[in-house]
């Protein structure tokens, strides 16, 4: 029985480097935020969801999920987080950010990381119309400082546990790399 519509998305799997994906919360956040800044030099970073495991990192291209109903999007992200061995999940990319309900949404580079114990870490940098960041340094908020979790993101591990969600993948090959 399906819990929602099937999604087609690209997933890349690679080895986990301790330098690029450290275990310390702040170090991981700083690395992923720097990664976003590096990608910005080539264009706006696409939205991805990363799962960090002991020995590998999975990169999910989640652009297709952004057009899904919020309940389907949250369940899919929770199913990704609910896989065995996931140490952290990170959502990265360029997203529309609304700092106050009355304000218009603006584009921002966003990094949001969540751990199975519901700890989270986030950074964002609002972008100008020419795609350059407004501030030199990103704004950082962390659960351990007592900050409220940003609306609309996270809670994936708790939802996966509550609904017993696990991701079921079907692999398709689109090309051969020589």
């Amino acid at each position: 029985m399906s819990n929602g519509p099937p999604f087609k998305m690209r997933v890349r799997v690679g080895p986990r480097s301790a330098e690029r994906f450290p275990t310390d919360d702040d170090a991981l956040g700083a690395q992923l935020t720097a990664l976003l800044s590096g990608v910005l030099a080539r264009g706006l970073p696409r939205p991805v969801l990363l799962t960090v495991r002991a020995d590998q990192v999975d990169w999910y291209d989640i652009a297709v999920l952004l057009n899904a109903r919020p309940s389907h999007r949250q369940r899919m992200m929770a199913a990704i987080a609910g896989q065995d061995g996931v140490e952290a999940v990170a959502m990265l990319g360029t997203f529309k950010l609304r700092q106050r309900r009355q304000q218009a949404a603006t584009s921002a580079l966003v990094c949001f990381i969540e751990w199975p114990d519901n700890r989270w870490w986030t950074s964002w940098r609002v972008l100008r119309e020419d795609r350059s960041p407004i501030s030199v340094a990103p704004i950082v908020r962390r659960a351990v400082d007592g900050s409220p979790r940003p609306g609309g993101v996270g809670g994936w591990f708790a939802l996966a546990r509550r609904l017993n969600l696990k991701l079921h993948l079907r692999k398709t090959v689109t090309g051969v790399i020589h």
Side-chain angles (χ1 to χ4, degrees), residues 7-138:
F7 292 99
K8 275 188 164 183
M9 69 174 76
R10 286 190 189 129
V11 181
R12 293 182 312 168
V13 177
R16 180 180 182 180
S17 156
E19 284 181 20
R20 192 166 186 191
F21 303 100
T23 56
D24 177 75
D25 296 7
D26 292 322
L28 178 60
Q31 282 293 101
L32 294 178
T33 299
L35 175 71
L36 275 176
S37 295
V39 172
L40 182 62
R42 299 186 305 270
L44 292 176
R46 287 182 56 86
V48 296
L49 193 72
L50 306 179
T51 58
V52 181
R53 303 168 190 258
D55 60 349
Q56 78 180 40
V57 177
D58 308 327
W59 298 71
Y60 296 83
D61 183 342
I62 60 168
V64 67
L65 290 180
L66 299 180
N67 296 321
R69 288 193 339 224
S71 62
H72 286 151
R73 180 175 49 243
Q74 285 298 94
R75 288 171 66 94
M76 182 65 178
M77 290 179 172
I80 291 169
Q83 298 174 93
D84 293 333
V86 174
E87 296 178 3
V89 172
M91 186 177 73
L92 311 170
T94 308
F95 296 93
K96 291 293 184 181
L97 181 70
R98 187 180 313 262
Q99 294 182 342
R100 292 185 185 85
R101 289 182 192 236
Q102 312 86 286
Q103 289 182 330
T106 57
S107 292
L109 293 180
V110 175
C111 172
F112 179 86
I113 308 167
E114 184 178 64
W115 289 267
D117 64 1
N118 298 323
R119 229 171 46 250
W120 57 267
W121 186 103
T122 190
S123 71
W124 68 91
R125 291 172 74 191
V126 175
L127 301 175
R128 293 183 179 98
E129 285 188 30
D130 68 359
R131 299 181 181 159
S132 65
I134 288 176
S135 62
V136 175

